[in-house]
Structures are given as C-alpha cells and as structure tokens.
Amino acid sequence: MLEKVLIANRGEIALRILRACREMGIKTVAVHSTADADAMHVRLADESICIGPPPARDSYLNMTAVLSAATISNADAIHPGYGFLSENADFAEMVEEHGFTFIGPSPDHIRLMGDKIAAKRAMRAVGVPTVPGSDDPVSDADAAAIADEIGYPVLIKATAGGGGKGMKAATSRDELKSALDLARAEAHASFGNSDVYFEKFLATPRHIEVQILADHHGAVVHLGERDCSIQRRYQKLVEEAPSPALNENQRREIGRVSSEAVRALGYRSAGTIEYLYEDGRFYFIEMNTRLQVEHPVTEMICGLDIVREMVRIAGGSSLGFTQDEVRFSGHAIECRINAEHPFTFKPSPGQVETYHAPGGLGVRVDSAIYSGYKIPTYYDSMISKLIVHGNNRNECLMRLRRALAEYVIDGIETTIPLHQRLIAEPAFVNGDYHIRWLETLVQRIGRE
Ligand code: MV4
C-alpha cells in the first residue's frame, strides 16, 4: 500500500486528493509556487515544498522540480490531479523511471489518447461508434475529395488537438481551402503539428461522457454518464448526472460499450470517454486519461470516492466491487464558480473578503478559498465547485437554487449570478439544451 503521496497540483483538486489520502491514512506532500505560499492545500498537507516562481511553466509544470520534491520528501507516488502534468505521457514515464508510482493510467495509454486520430481508430477497433470522417491526416491535395465524400458541413480537427484548438468548420467547398489553412496554422501554433483530419460536423449535439474505473487485474466498471453540454468556449460551466437526454436503454448501451472498450484496451485507473450525442445516437470524440473537474456529480449519484479508487488501483489493489454492485441514486448537478464577471466573463482576481459556503442536506462545496484569501492572477479562474444532490432532478434543482442563494463570496465578482439566471431558464429546467445553448443565452443576456 502507498504511504505517502505527493500532490502535483493546487486549488480545490489538491484539497480533494489530500482529503482522500487522509481518510486512507496516507501522508500527503503539497507542492506550491511562491504565489501559493498561503494557499489552503499548503496549509492542510502534512508537508509542503516550494517548487518555483508563480508562472506555471516554472513551477507546477516543471517536471524536474516536481520529481525533486518527490525525492526530497520520500514520497511513494504522485497524483497529478487535472490540467498541468496530468496528461503528459513523458511526465508519467519519468515518474515511474524515478521509482515512484504514477496515480493514473500507463504512459502508453496517455500517449495513445493524446493522438486524436490514433485514439479514434483504437476506439473504433474495439466497437465504439465514432463520427464519420477521414480517420487519417488529410493532405491539401486530397482535401476536397475527402470533404465531398463525408458531405458538408465538415469539421477540420487537429490531430494533436483537444479542447477545440485548431478546429474549423467548412459549410461548402468554397470555404474549405481557407478553413483548412486556418486550422493548420492554429494547430501548428498550439501543438507544433499542423496535421488535421476531417469529420462530419454535428450542429447541435450534446456532450455526454462516461466515467470508467479499471484496475490492474482486468476488472472494469463504468459509473454512468455525465451531461456536460452547458459550456462556453470549451469551458464547462455546469455538469449533471445522469443526462436528462438518455433513456434507460441508451444509458445501459453507452455504459456497456465504454467499459468493453476500456477492457479491450487494457486501460487502468480512472478515465472518461467523451461522446457527442445527437438524434438518439452517440459518437466517440475523445478519451480523457485523468481525473476530471466534474467527477463529483458521479460520486454523488453512486456513493463512491473516485480519488480513493484511483489511489487504491495505483497501489495494486483490486476494485472492491462489480458493475452489478454499482448502485445509482438520484440526481446531481455541479456549478463551476469562477472569479469572473458573471455576464462578460472578465477575470476578477483580488482578495476575498467575506466567504460563507452553503451547506445542509445534499450540498457539497469543493473549494480551496477562504475569507481573506487573495486569488493569484497566474492560474485558472475557477474558485469553487458547488455540487448538489437530490432524489430526482427537480429536487436537485430546488436545492441548487437554495444553495446558490446562500453562497456569499464578497470582494470579487463571481459567476454565481449567471448560474442563478441559467437554472431559471425553462430550457435548462426541462433538460432541453445542447453544446451551443449557453452561447445563445449569454447573447440574449447581453442584449437585455
Ligand atoms: C465536434 C463537434 C461537432 N461535430 N465534432 C470540441 C472540442 C473537442 N473535444 C471536440 N469538439 C467538438 N467536436 C464533430 N464532428 C463539436 C465539438 C464541440 C464541442 C464538443 C464537446 C463539448 C463542447 C463543444 C463545443 C463546441 C464544439
């Protein structure tokens, strides 16, 4: 069993991992930049080590600094959280070469899923439906013929992509050349690789993802799906589980297909299979080989601790339960609260004056802020996740409305008023939304 875990992250996810470790009797080591000397994860950890100056590339992304901290503190394992080094296959490899356990999947699986065409091919080979498309890098010479075959509108995606960078739609042959040039330029600038592939463009799909856990001994379970369609510029704002769009048959099918694929690929640890869902059909787009921001909605409906399972799996333990023993109960919604103006999204760093988090039955707050905390400008603007559980979606919404009203964060602007507005919208109340819906709501608010 692991005795000491170094947490290579900051903010709420560092606390989340620290709490899981503490419950398991595992010692924790926090790392931090000089900007985070007063951060909550540093205060709560058993030990802490400063790994560099404020910019992430000089601290949280500095692999040598993180590995040195693990050596100095005599940690057994490293949990990367999300973001930063969490999906860096070279880092996972270095961690293991230095004799530490990487709390996550194998470097090979991280690498495979980082290459979007390779991931898509691998998934299709194990029976997962994918969006119709080229499945190979497209050359300038073949572009028009391939687009004609797929049929417009066509979406051009970067092979090395993810998160929407280097993605461009073309609605006709006239637009293809300029969209292709733009996509290649953006892909080159973002990833140093201008390879792109084509897919049929789905106009208003939902974004539905399936949470998986797999151990070193061949056991795989899925923990159901999350609907993450409420997003703006590829940043999710609200996630819920289960998806209001799926019926029980579709739910069983997407879960079964996802677990079988993960079993066939020999994947281990926690992972998420992302799909687009439109007109009753789902299509694989990407697999995330990390713990995700929105994992709590899944925990709330199945009563499991995903971080604890990741740590147990990394330590070599078997999953202690089977698919039949996973029991789903009720509904959960997460609101990501950012230090931003609620309607213009302008960042609002600064000092938190009064802080009072909501509580009571079915309310969970994952946050690392406190009264008097000064939010650094260097990192992500997400300062809290409010997660609410109810016996059904309606009860969950009533409780969420109550919890948002109770939440006090003074001294900075936050996105709480946007969440209050959003959950009052009839389309949201009815579960009738897709990946473009929030953008239209924001435009509507802008005109008011
Ligand atoms: C798509 C798509 C429509 N059609 N692929 C965005 C980032 C990357 N993860 C995949 N993405 C999309 N791929 C086809 N063939 C629309 C998106 C997309 C999206 C997907 C999931 C969540 C939010 C999104 C927002 C805009 C576009």
Side-chain angles (χ1 to χ4, degrees), residues 188-199:
H188 183 78
S190 303
F191 315 109
N193 177 347
S194 55
D195 285 354
V196 297
Y197 63 105
F198 289 3
E199 278 183 357

Side-chain angles (χ1 to χ4, degrees), residues 14-270:
L15 286 199
R16 172 70 190 84
I17 297 162
L18 187 151
R19 286 168 171 154
C21 290
R22 189 149 289 157
E23 288 177 11
M24 299 172 81
I26 298 172
K27 294 255 180 305
T28 55
V29 182
V31 294
H32 66 92
S33 71
T34 51
D36 276 341
D38 295 325
M40 204 63 183
H41 75 285
V42 175
R43 296 189 187 189
L44 290 188
D46 294 305
E47 295 169 49
S48 66
I49 299 178
C50 181
I51 51 167
R57 67 176 172 280
D58 301 322
S59 49
Y60 297 103
L61 286 169
N62 183 338
M63 301 193 232
T64 327
V66 172
L67 286 168
S68 302
T71 303
I72 291 165
S73 58
N74 201 26
D76 307 311
I78 299 182
H79 197 308
Y82 53 68
F84 296 133
L85 298 168
S86 61
E87 290 181 291
N88 186 318
D90 295 337
F91 178 66
E93 214 157 67
M94 283 170 73
V95 167
E96 310 244 286
E97 279 164 10
H98 283 73
F100 305 112
T101 299
F102 181 76
I103 304 177
S106 74
D108 287 346
H109 284 110
I110 300 175
R111 204 166 275 125
L112 172 69
M113 296 306 167
D115 177 334
K116 303 305 161 188
I117 295 187
K120 201 177 161 186
R121 275 205 214 99
M123 283 297 190
R124 200 183 25 247
V126 296
V128 181
T130 58
V131 190
S134 66
D135 286 4
D136 280 297
V138 173
S139 70
D140 286 349
D142 296 342
I146 291 170
D148 282 345
E149 196 177 309
I150 295 168
Y152 290 95
V154 161
L155 191 62
I156 308 168
K157 292 185 170 184
T159 306
K165 283 203 190 99
M167 224 174 72
K168 288 281 171 284
T171 53
S172 68
R173 192 176 248 212
D174 299 339
E175 287 179 21
L176 187 64
K177 177 81 177 88
S178 61
L180 184 56
D181 290 349
L182 269 174
R184 285 202 200 284
E186 211 173 294
H188 183 78
S190 303
F191 315 109
N193 177 347
S194 55
D195 285 354
V196 297
Y197 63 105
F198 289 3
E199 278 183 357
K200 181 82 186 172
F201 177 62
L202 306 179
T204 53
R206 299 178 79 111
H207 175 49
I208 295 177
E209 59 186 30
V210 177
Q211 176 71 54
I212 292 287
L213 285 174
D215 69 17
H216 284 274
H217 312 282
V220 179
V221 296
H222 72 80
L223 305 181
E225 84 284 359
R226 298 184 282 258
D227 198 316
C228 308
S229 305
I230 306 288
Q231 60 82 43
R232 180 180 171 271
R233 304 192 178 169
Y234 311 116
Q235 299 289 324
K236 296 168 185 168
L237 271 85
V238 176
E239 302 96 345
E240 62 179 312
S243 170
L246 299 191
N247 63 36
E248 281 308 317
N249 287 333
Q250 295 168 318
R251 177 162 297 120
R252 198 171 325 108
E253 181 64 3
I254 202 171
R256 184 188 63 78
V257 163
S258 303
S259 349
E260 281 179 11
V262 158
R263 185 174 297 113
L265 292 171
Y267 185 89
R268 59 163 159 81
S269 189

